[in-house]
Amino acid sequence: MSILDYKDGSVNLLMGNEAIARGAVEAGVRVAAGYPGTPSSEIIENLAAVAGKAGLYVEWSVNEKVSLEVAAAGSFAGLRSMCVMKQNGVNVASDFLLHLGLSGTRAGMVLVPCDDPGAISSVNEGESRHFARLLELPLIEPGNFQEAIDMIKWAFELSEKIRNVVVVRSVTRLSHASGNVKVGTLPKNNDTPVFKYDGNLLDALNGPVITAPVPFKHRQQQEKLKAVAEIFETSEFNTYTGPENPELLIITSSACSLYSLEAVNVLELDKRVGVLKLGTTYPLPEKLVKKHVASAKKILFVEEVQPFLEDLTKIAAAAWEDVGVKKYHGKYDASIPTVNELNPDIVIAALTKILGIDYRPVPEDYEKKGTILSFTGAPNREVTFCPGCPHRASFWSIHNVLTLQGKGGFVCGDIGCYTIGILGAGFNTLKTTHSMGSGLGIASGFGKLRGLGMKQDAVAVCGDSTFFHSIIPALVNAVHVKSDMMLIVFDNKGTAMTGFQPHPGTETDAMGAKVNALNIESICRAIGADVHVSDPFDITGTQDKLFDLIENGKGPRVLIMQQSCALSPEKKGKNKYVMNVDESLCRGENCGCDRFCTKIFRCPGLVWNRDKSVSMIDSVICTGCGVCKNICPAGAIKSEEVKAC
Amino acid sequence: MTFGPKELQADVQQKNMCIGCGACVSICPYFKTYKGKTAAMFQCSRESGRCYAYCPKTGVNLDRISEKLYNKKYSSDALGNLKAIYTSEKSDKASKGNFQNGGTVSALMEFALKNKTIDSAILTKRNGAVSIPEIVTDHEKVHAYASSKYGLSPVVSKFNEGAESGYKKIGVVGTPCSIIAMANIRSNPTDIPDFVDKSGIVIGLFCTWALDTSKFEDALKDKIDLTLLQKVDIPPPPADVMTFTTSHNEITLPLSEMRKGIPLGCTYCHDMTGEFADISVGALELKGEKNKNIIIVRTERGEQLVNDAVKSGYIKTAPLPAEALSGLSTASMNKKKRAFTRLVDEKMINNLTERPMIVVDDQSLKNIMNEKGGM
Ligand SMILES: Cc1cc2nc3c(=O)[nH]c(=O)nc-3n(C[C@H](O)[C@H](O)[C@H](O)COP(=O)(O)OP(=O)(O)OC[C@H]3O[C@@H](n4cnc5c(N)ncnc54)[C@H](O)[C@@H]3O)c2cc1C
Ligand code: SF4
Ligand code: SF4
């Protein structure tokens, strides 16, 4: 079922990201672009699935900055456009976003960043809210699933009113949870895109789209923001629940508004505590907030990570002479933590402390017992690579070669499935991880430290999608400065971590059309690196290449390790080998092995048979990649090729 | 008390005492050897293991292995337990080769393979500065491994590999540290039931020190084409140099410079003559004599091989001049004295520490330190 299939006006169970995508189509979006990143990816995926039918252009761009530029083109040509990314994507796009805010847009343009407080599927807790303030753009935040669809539609209208980008921020708990949503009607929209540029320099709708004259444009942008603040004052997305003069007022937004309402409910404080849920968070609707602050004695800000609403309110309150002194609680008095996700329990804890309520959700000894049981009773589940994952084989070779070379060589990486190379799953091989592509930049720097006497070998790793996203400039740099280091591209043929979205190296685009795949090997060669290719499942061949390249190579070297992801559609259900363990050969607990395969190599496909004290293959989850037969010191793991019928 | 990989790493590898013999390699997947260096690939959680028990650089009980091999306590004599000592060289039946000295070692190994005293031989070849041990089964190939490689050779890893893959009478040629490891292995320190000694003959090379492979490489890589290296020699004193011969040229470097590449582990080594071998072979350093060996016969099977090899025309022996004998004894005793003094000073021997490098009877220790040993 696609997002077009819901009947006008019907109520459906939609995932937050589906609601956002449906809202965009209802608003008549025609251009959508993004870069995959959890928890945002399903928005573009849902739009791409209906692109043809709904007359949209949808793309997975090479990176977030380019995706924002692509979406801007749609707006400049008179089509409503949307751009989607995860929180840190906004950092990548921010350079263009700064300029776009100044130049302004034409047809409605909405930027949807999906934040990940608690870093559930991220390596940072970055927040896109602060970009709105920094770059002077309006910010709105849906607080539930219905708002996700309704606010997107409103955002397009708002954008057209002020001719600038509107930021609609989602979070993991909204994007990835599902709720009932009443859908609206689908528009008929087939405007022909035209880019008008003949008007004069200052003509926002017909002239060139530029940021100059800067002071003029900047003032214009700020005036637009003032107008937005006025609109926000009466927005229906700002709601208040509670008594007229609450003892304590919670000011909140987004998913935190649900945690707040639940906490008040659990503590039965609906007569004492009021909740002001703001849907429009930047610029702050000051008059509205002032009115509510004035009505209460104490204020508690419930928001995730850094203070945003709290700061904006306190700054505004400095001018509220008639409101009197209030007691503020939030980040600064540590009522609410500044890291990690919030939940109703955290809000309950804050409320009970501030209001001096004695509340214990469960008896103390029960809680203790629960804690002990959850530690001792629950099976230990480690973060690991999937069975048959090429990254396990790749890290195996890299680890073994670097360890044997014994010169303290190490690997610099970034974010991708392979980030867990820091852990036992990747034999603790990865030693730095930061933003996309940063492994190579760092390795390029380490490679130059050779001149200052550094002896260790620096190896960078990246995925194929990352290669296009942000490795290329770093590789150009490494070649330019002749850095002594090596780049390993884990080419698993797709943006695996976020769900196999296509990228410039794949043969289809976001909408499923056939495109020419860019060849990573040729690109590296054209840049001037010494380029080699290997199959990570060929352990011996790969290690030979690694030994040679790390030891004898000079300058920037590239090894492309090609092997599709174990979960890739082309591999699913197609095992190359049937694996089994010869129990008579398996050394089990005996000296000289110490259960090497299940303790060290640890593919989930290999399990320890406690009754017999031998290893065995879990044939249900083994993908038949055949790699483990190379690592058994006793040759006990056997493979048999599966014959195609 | 038995120990395992954790203690091995703490006592030997982390203290830079490892001389890369490879005794801990090829018995499990955790230790591997590469370019003369032994690396712990992963942390193994076993509390006791053969790796620790076999290592010649920790927990070596000289009396225990001596008793297992010779049925008597460790001899504090300069040259250890011996049956006979001669000068020797290869004879007509043995193949020609690029021998280090008299070619005795190559000739003995060729003969032993041919007459099936052994079913395989662990011999060391050269790849630049890197010493690479290999399992050789064809007697016609033995001469190709002739000449001394000064980089540490993980000989014992190949013995382990050979034993694992089914060879039953393996001939081993190694420096004294590898021979101590072999003695450890042969004495079955972990009490493996149905233990079988898979060594057929063990030949020890005299040794004062060897070189760390990467330091060896670093010292030479800008001076000669290492791939063409054919021979390395230390001419007898007072030359005080080391010579490197390639197919193109020969260069000479001061010994003092090369000594910087001696691994730390060698500086604690007491054994110059491979005291736990069946046969030990070194250079005869005597004025007017070139290309001859000194050979020490220590065991019955050693004696048998030497006698048969002489009878079959593979080697010839002659009485050792007294001057050479006293020269060798002094050098050997000096090495023992130096090492044991250092071990005592640094509290690394007997009950001076929890896990000593060497355990030996106090009387023997005293004898050596007071230089009362000797012939
Ligand atoms: C590191 C080292 C230091 C030495 N120091 C001394 C010394 O101080 N005084 C002295 O008298 N003699 C020393 N020797 C012994 C000497 O160099 C000769 O090896 C010995 O005299 C035998 O000579 P040969 O002509 O019979 O040997 P060859 O017939 O040439 O045969 C040599 C044999 O030694 C093996 N071999 C070569 N290098 C190594 C190695 N690194 N590890 C293990 N096996 C190896 C080869 O496989 C070959 O079988 C040393 C040898 C080595 C390897
Ligand atoms: S073949 Fe071995 S490594 Fe590959 S999935 Fe199966 S168990 Fe894992
Ligand atoms: S000296 Fe030999 S046995 Fe000891 S740690 Fe080194 S290689 Fe292993």
Side-chain angles (χ1 to χ4, degrees), chain A residues 410-433:
Chain A
F410 55 90
V411 181
C412 303
D414 56 19
I415 173 74
C417 291
Y418 49 91
T419 305
I420 57 175
I422 318 163
L423 308 175
F427 319 106
N428 311 98
T429 316
L430 213 54
K431 299 301 179 194
T432 76
T433 60

Side-chain angles (χ1 to χ4, degrees), chain B residues 2-274:
Chain B
T2 52
F3 299 104
K6 229 185 282 137
E7 292 82 5
L8 180 69
Q9 283 177 64
D11 293 358
V12 184
Q13 288 160 339
Q14 275 152 26
K15 289 194 181 139
N16 263 329
M17 289 294 175
C18 173
I19 38 72
C21 68
C24 56
V25 176
S26 301
I27 45 181
C28 77
Y30 293 85
F31 290 100
K32 289 224 151 70
T33 172
Y34 177 69
K35 283 198 164 182
K37 279 222 160 64
T38 301
M41 304 300 290
F42 304 98
Q43 295 310 313
C44 162
S45 56
R46 295 191 65 87
E47 284 180 0
S48 70
R50 291 178 289 171
C51 52
Y52 185 92
Y54 293 173
C55 178
K57 289 293 163 191
T58 186
V60 177
N61 189 322
L62 295 176
D63 294 311
R64 199 185 67 84
I65 51 179
S66 201
E67 250 149 43
K68 288 264 181 176
L69 263 51
Y70 305 130
N71 281 319
K72 53 178 144 172
K73 266 197 161 170
Y74 176 67
S75 155
S76 49
D77 294 348
L79 303 181
N81 182 70
L82 63 78
K83 283 184 174 298
I85 182 163
Y86 316 103
T87 68
S88 69
E89 62 193 298
K90 79 166 264 287
S91 193
D92 305 340
K93 271 292 197 54
S95 306
K96 291 197 174 71
N98 169 30
F99 306 119
Q100 189 67 19
N101 304 123
T104 304
V105 174
S106 296
L108 284 173
M109 279 319 209
E110 185 182 1
F111 175 68
L113 272 176
K114 201 163 176 208
N115 88 343
K116 304 216 161 41
T117 301
I118 56 177
D119 57 11
S120 56
I122 312 299
L123 303 177
T124 296
K125 72 170 187 188
R126 164 185 293 127
N127 182 3
V130 188
S131 302
I132 301 169
E134 286 183 346
I135 301 175
V136 180
T137 51
D138 181 353
H139 66 90
E140 285 179 15
K141 295 215 170 109
V142 173
H143 68 94
Y145 293 83
S147 93
S148 298
K149 289 87 193 173
Y150 279 82
L152 298 161
S153 176
V155 165
V156 192
S157 71
K158 276 290 155 182
F159 171 81
N160 289 337
E161 198 182 307
E164 180 73 25
S165 55
Y167 292 107
K168 296 193 172 65
K169 293 185 288 181
I170 306 172
V172 178
V173 179
T175 46
C177 46
S178 293
I179 304 307
I180 294 176
M182 284 302 302
N184 278 337
I185 294 175
R186 294 169 63 199
S187 69
N188 188 20
T190 54
D191 298 320
I192 300 168
D194 323 316
F195 174 80
V196 185
D197 177 4
K198 304 244 175 90
S199 73
I201 199 86
V202 177
I203 298 187
L205 304 173
F206 294 2
C207 180
T208 22
W209 43 258
L211 291 173
D212 173 83
T213 306
S214 60
K215 288 186 185 150
F216 185 4
E217 197 164 54
D218 286 349
L220 284 166
K221 66 170 181 244
D222 300 329
K223 301 194 174 79
I224 55 168
D225 182 350
L226 271 167
T227 57
L228 303 178
L229 188 60
Q230 286 178 341
K231 194 159 185 180
V232 180
D233 204 8
I234 305 176
D240 215 27
V241 293
M242 207 157 173
T243 58
F244 303 88
T245 315
T246 72
S247 46
H248 281 55
N249 58 340
E250 180 177 301
I251 65 159
T252 301
L253 291 176
L255 260 186
S256 56
E257 187 178 317
M258 295 313 295
R259 278 210 179 92
K260 290 180 195 148
I262 301 176
L264 187 63
C266 284
T267 66
Y268 290 82
C269 175
H270 65 278
D271 188 353
M272 178 181 169
T273 60

Side-chain angles (χ1 to χ4, degrees), chain A residues 386-389 392 537 566 575 577-580 601-607 616-618 621-629 631 637-639:
Chain A
C386 303
C389 173
R392 178 180 292 100
F537 285 178
N575 291 16
Y577 299 103
V578 178
M579 308 298 296
N580 77 292
F601 186 67
R602 285 206 293 229
C603 172
L606 283 159
V607 288
M616 61 180 192
I617 298 282
D618 182 339
I621 64 170
C622 168
T623 66
C625 71
V627 170
C628 56
K629 73 163 181 262
I631 65 108
I637 305 176
K638 307 281 186 195
S639 65

